[in-house]
Amino acid sequence: MKKVVLVSLIAAAHIVVADSVFTLGEISIQDNQQKVLDVTKLSSDSFKEVTNNDTGAILDTLPGVVLERKGGRNESSILLRGMDARRIGVFLDGIPLYIPYDGNFDYSRILSNQLSSIQVAKGFSSVMYGANTMAGVINMVTKKPTKEFEGSISSEVTADNNFERSSTTNTISLGSKQEKYYFYIDGTYYDRDHWNVSDDFTPTSLQGSNQRLRSSSDSKTLNLKFALTPDDSSEYVFGYNYINSTKEQPLLTDNTLGTAKYWNWPAWDEKTLYFIANKTFSGSALKYKLYRSQYDNTLDIYTNKAFTTLSDTEITDAYSLGTSLEYTNFEWLKNNIIKASIGAKKDHHTIERTITNEDDFYVDYVYSLGLEDTYQPTDKLKIITSLGYDYSNAKDAITANTSLDTQAHQAFNPQIGFFYDFFENQTTRLLLSQKSHLPSMKERFSYKRSKAIPNPDLDPEVADHIELGHTITRDGFVFDNAIFYTKVKDAINIVENVSGTKSQEQNTGTEYYYGFESSIKYIADKFVTGLNYSYIDIDKATTKEVVLDVPKQQVDAYINYSPIKVITLGASISYKEDITADTKTAYQTISDIFTANISAKYQYTKALSFKVGVSNLFDKNYTQYDLGYPEAGREYYAKVQYDF
């Protein structure tokens, strides 16, 4: 009984602890001491000194995580241990954020100053997330207030290598925490006028020196929360997240490297309205979610680089309507924390083509069940067992005004993890999990503008993950190493020339992913430093696929040094090697990528700070990873922030 009371108190305190993290938006596996076992958590303190506010660029510094710049769509994506975005569950405050049509999300639309933390799980992850977390999970968690009245105002300006303004970012936040309620408002306006290519870039007929043509974009984001906290065991939150953005499509600099796209997005919007309720009882807790996410975007497709004649306009209207209920019990079994969840989601996606009049209409229903147990028989040993079950059923599927056959899909997701403290401050883990990816609407039904054949009969992908890792935490050091192995059965890939020149998504066979990850971090009085290393090898022998966009090795290092209390100097480097990209006619190895960044921050008062920095310090000319789409050269920035 003593243990039950203690855990119940911890659970209740979890609601009212003075922390800017919106804890109801977090999902993780925890032991009796609230130690998180399945995710790497990046706090705002760990990424606020990073030069780039792009969430994707921050995730890129983690071992096993790779930022993938999709130049052909002018967006940022993520790879987890070599697996692409469609196999990763992306969440904001524990609510699905990825577009249900294809599983993608543009990470550049979320800036890090809007977040309190980011949770990353690779392979082994809580089944409370629901379906489609085969590669892992990225959960971005927003903020909540900790004071009776608080706020922040910041403005950042970047300049290109010619010292011309290239972008501005303005942010304001206000919040208040009262005894029985709290509210929080956070708004950001990001305006990217342009960016410059490196001075080492060789001009072509499609792209000159200096300003990158058609590189502008803008984004307005808003995060609102209002919560009732009638007592220490209850929290009821109404939330709203809003993204309104536009972006241009930079031109391919050399048409021999790919297919030219003359695209423009006059609208790329996402809106999520949600309600989360959490109630802790003596020995148990209930958590309920209800949400609706709306995705609206407009894509103008032109016939030439002058952008004068439209070939079509695609207007996307999509939404996800979902709910889930999670129950946690601390007292049924001694030394066990048992969780059970049930979730349901309706995914609705329509595409209206205003010129060709070839419209698409899809509706999926997805259901998930989860059961999870954290067993701690001794102070040194923890055993995690879980089982998830996912079921999806396509209600409607119409591609280019043509009805397609549909079928249901299901998958079981069992897991077991062992965590043992062989020595003080040292933990060894062995993680075994089976995770699945239910075929997306795009994979099953898209005809890709008359270039592909739909395949409604696709089977789910199933991944078997094994990870062996060891963590040492001592005297300011955190040292973590892991080896991993993943076998993906019924891998979904594009098969070319199935009917003439048309391709098709098919289950092509088995893929293997294996590698090693290492990270070390040291925190001292005057500085914080760290080094992350990743190695991965991918074998697609049975699928006949070439491994694209994944660096075999990646190294990231950083240091933040405070010679005096009010000044912080920062530097970071990133190195990637052995990357293969695709051209129209052949595969090509991209030159190794090495970039460096520096920054300096002056804390003028407790509330007012100034920061300056340089990104891509050595003005490297590189592609990451679409050939013909060079990345930005050197940029300077200055930021002022006032907290109250």
Side-chain angles (χ1 to χ4, degrees):
M1 178 60 70
K2 183 177 179 181
K3 176 256 180 186
V4 171
V5 174
L6 175 63
V7 175
S8 298
L9 288 173
I10 290 173
H14 186 64
I15 298 175
V16 298
V17 66
D19 190 339
S20 64
V21 176
F22 177 50
T23 51
L24 287 191
E26 295 184 313
I27 300 176
S28 62
I29 303 171
Q30 301 182 11
D31 64 15
N32 292 346
Q33 289 75 44
Q34 287 192 297
K35 180 180 179 181
V36 175
L37 302 175
D38 65 320
V39 300
T40 298
K41 182 177 178 179
L42 290 171
S43 67
S44 58
D45 288 338
S46 66
F47 58 65
K48 68 182 180 181
E49 302 299 338
V50 176
T51 303
N52 199 323
N53 284 327
D54 186 328
T55 302
I58 292 171
L59 289 167
D60 188 45
T61 64
L62 290 175
V65 183
V66 174
L67 171 65
E68 184 183 32
R69 297 281 192 192
K70 294 187 175 182
R73 293 183 59 88
N74 194 15
E75 65 185 28
S76 298
S77 188
I78 288 293
L79 302 171
L80 276 185
R81 289 180 174 170
M83 297 188 191
D84 60 27
R86 62 194 171 92
R87 295 160 160 178
I88 303 169
V90 184
F91 299 81
L92 184 67
D93 291 334
I95 293 169
L97 189 62
Y98 55 89
I99 298 173
Y101 173 65
D102 56 11
N104 285 316
F105 178 74
D106 184 0
Y107 287 83
S108 65
R109 299 300 108 186
I110 300 288
L111 300 182
S112 63
N113 56 9
Q114 304 167 246
L115 305 176
S116 64
S117 67
I118 305 173
Q119 296 179 300
V120 180
K122 293 170 280 188
F124 189 93
S125 63
S126 175
V127 296
M128 301 295 109
Y129 279 106
N132 293 321
T133 61
M134 188 179 87
V137 168
I138 295 173
N139 183 28
M140 295 169 281
V141 183
T142 58
K143 301 175 182 178
K144 73 175 185 181
T146 61
K147 302 175 184 177
E148 187 172 343
F149 181 71
E150 64 181 65
S152 177
I153 301 173
S154 68
S155 182
E156 179 177 319
V157 178
T158 67
D160 60 30
N161 213 18
N162 296 321
F163 297 100
E164 295 181 4
R165 185 188 69 85
S166 54
S167 75
T168 57
T169 305
N170 297 306
T171 300
I172 184 170
S173 64
L174 294 170
S176 176
K177 183 179 184 298
Q178 303 294 325
E179 182 181 359
K180 300 295 184 182
Y181 69 91
Y182 67 80
F183 71 84
Y184 185 79
I185 304 171
D186 186 313
T188 297
Y189 176 61
Y190 170 73
D191 178 25
R192 166 65 74 174
D193 180 76
H194 71 279
W195 48 264
N196 276 18
V197 295
S198 166
D199 286 347
D200 293 333
F201 174 78
T202 302
T204 70
S205 61
L206 297 171
Q207 172 64 51
S209 57
N210 295 320
Q211 289 193 14
R212 180 67 163 112
L213 300 178
R214 299 189 53 77
S215 58
S216 70
S217 65
D218 68 68
S219 183
K220 307 176 190 71
T221 62
L222 182 66
N223 171 245
L224 303 174
K225 289 188 193 71
F226 177 76
L228 299 174
T229 54
D231 53 58
D232 289 347
S233 65
S234 306
E235 188 170 354
Y236 308 97
V237 183
F238 300 87
Y240 179 67
N241 294 309
Y242 172 71
I243 302 172
N244 171 261
S245 58
T246 66
K247 59 181 180 178
E248 292 182 316
Q249 172 61 57
L251 293 176
L252 186 67
T253 60
D254 183 347
N255 286 338
T256 66
L257 297 177
T259 302
K261 296 177 180 178
Y262 309 116
W263 292 358
N264 192 43
W265 283 267
W268 193 103
D269 303 339
E270 191 274 338
K271 300 179 283 289
T272 297
L273 183 67
Y274 65 83
F275 170 70
I276 303 177
N278 192 81
K279 177 67 176 177
T280 302
F281 306 95
S282 176
S284 64
L286 272 176
K287 185 177 182 180
Y288 173 74
K289 294 180 187 176
L290 177 65
Y291 61 89
R292 189 185 193 279
S293 297
Q294 178 76 33
Y295 310 90
D296 298 307
N297 67 67
T298 301
L299 171 61
D300 289 334
I301 304 172
Y302 292 85
T303 60
N304 54 62
K305 66 180 182 180
F307 290 82
T308 55
T309 305
L310 278 169
S311 66
D312 212 345
T313 293
E314 295 184 352
I315 301 174
T316 297
D317 177 7
Y319 68 84
S320 291
L321 179 64
T323 185
S324 67
L325 181 64
E326 178 184 321
Y327 175 73
T328 304
N329 189 281
F330 310 109
E331 63 181 8
W332 276 346
L333 297 174
K334 185 179 180 181
N335 300 322
N336 291 70
I337 300 176
I338 300 173
K339 291 184 177 182
S341 66
I342 181 171
K345 183 162 70 90
K346 176 186 178 181
D347 292 330
H348 176 282
H349 191 93
T350 64
I351 301 176
E352 177 188 355
R353 297 178 176 88
T354 61
I355 295 178
T356 62
N357 295 317
E358 295 180 343
D359 300 338
D360 301 339
F361 176 77
Y362 311 119
V363 177
D364 274 357
Y365 289 89
V366 183
Y367 306 93
S368 297
L369 299 173
L371 184 63
E372 190 171 272
D373 177 48
T374 303
Y375 175 49
Q376 191 167 342
T378 70
D379 290 338
K380 293 186 174 183
L381 177 63
K382 298 143 195 173
I383 303 173
I384 314 299
T385 54
S386 64
L387 176 64
Y389 172 73
D390 302 320
Y391 175 87
S392 71
N393 187 25
K395 174 75 172 178
D396 293 291
I398 299 173
T399 296
N401 304 325
T402 302
S403 295
L404 301 176
D405 294 334
T406 62
Q407 71 173 43
H409 298 88
Q410 63 178 347
F412 288 91
N413 304 291
Q415 293 187 135
I416 186 166
F418 303 90
F419 298 81
Y420 191 78
D421 301 334
F422 283 99
F423 306 100
E424 185 178 2
N425 300 320
Q426 297 192 44
T427 301
T428 299
R429 63 185 181 273
L430 174 63
L431 310 177
L432 310 172
S433 62
Q434 184 177 92
K435 289 299 187 77
S436 60
H437 161 68
L438 304 177
S440 69
M441 295 173 176
K442 182 177 180 179
E443 289 168 333
R444 287 173 288 159
F445 305 129
S446 176
Y447 79 131
K448 299 179 182 177
R449 302 182 182 92
S450 301
K451 297 177 182 178
I453 303 171
N455 186 3
D457 297 325
L458 277 175
D459 291 324
E461 294 180 310
V462 178
D464 296 323
H465 300 280
I466 302 174
E467 177 181 330
L468 178 63
H470 186 73
T471 304
I472 302 173
T473 305
R474 187 171 184 176
D475 299 329
F477 280 96
V478 179
F479 187 33
D480 185 82
N481 294 283
I483 56 174
F484 64 89
Y485 168 86
T486 297
K487 177 183 178 182
V488 179
K489 295 170 286 188
D490 292 323
I492 298 174
N493 289 291
I494 297 174
V495 178
E496 302 290 350
N497 304 320
V498 172
S499 177
T501 60
K502 291 186 177 181
S503 64
Q504 187 180 49
E505 302 268 7
Q506 295 183 4
N507 296 107
T508 54
T510 304
E511 300 175 350
Y512 302 88
Y513 301 73
Y514 46 92
F516 170 74
E517 299 167 357
S518 182
S519 67
I520 185 169
K521 182 178 183 180
Y522 179 62
I523 303 175
D525 290 339
K526 291 190 174 183
F527 70 91
V528 176
T529 186
L531 175 70
N532 298 322
Y533 171 78
S534 303
Y535 170 84
I536 186 169
D537 203 352
I538 303 174
D539 183 358
K540 295 190 174 185
T542 64
T543 67
K544 309 299 183 184
E545 288 288 311
V546 175
V547 179
L548 299 174
D549 302 343
V550 182
K552 183 160 284 190
Q553 296 191 82
Q554 177 171 338
V555 180
D556 294 278
Y558 61 91
I559 184 171
N560 290 310
Y561 172 59
S562 298
I564 59 176
K565 188 175 182 181
V566 296
I567 293 179
T568 301
L569 305 176
S572 64
I573 60 171
S574 178
Y575 174 76
K576 301 178 177 74
E577 72 168 15
D578 199 0
I579 307 167
T580 301
D582 192 8
T583 71
K584 277 184 175 180
T585 58
Y587 298 109
Q588 181 176 322
T589 300
I590 298 176
S591 300
D592 297 346
I593 299 172
F594 175 80
T595 55
N597 312 293
I598 58 172
S599 65
K601 180 180 178 182
Y602 175 47
Q603 194 73 43
Y604 180 68
T605 66
K606 186 177 180 180
L608 181 63
S609 64
F610 302 91
K611 185 179 180 182
V612 294
V614 185
S615 57
N616 194 359
L617 177 65
F618 301 113
D619 195 33
K620 292 291 186 179
N621 177 40
Y622 68 99
T623 298
Q624 186 173 306
Y625 295 88
D626 275 355
L627 292 173
Y629 294 97
E631 292 296 313
R634 183 189 295 116
E635 279 199 316
Y636 307 89
Y637 70 90
K639 180 179 180 180
V640 58
Q641 181 165 325
Y642 183 76
D643 301 317
F644 56 89

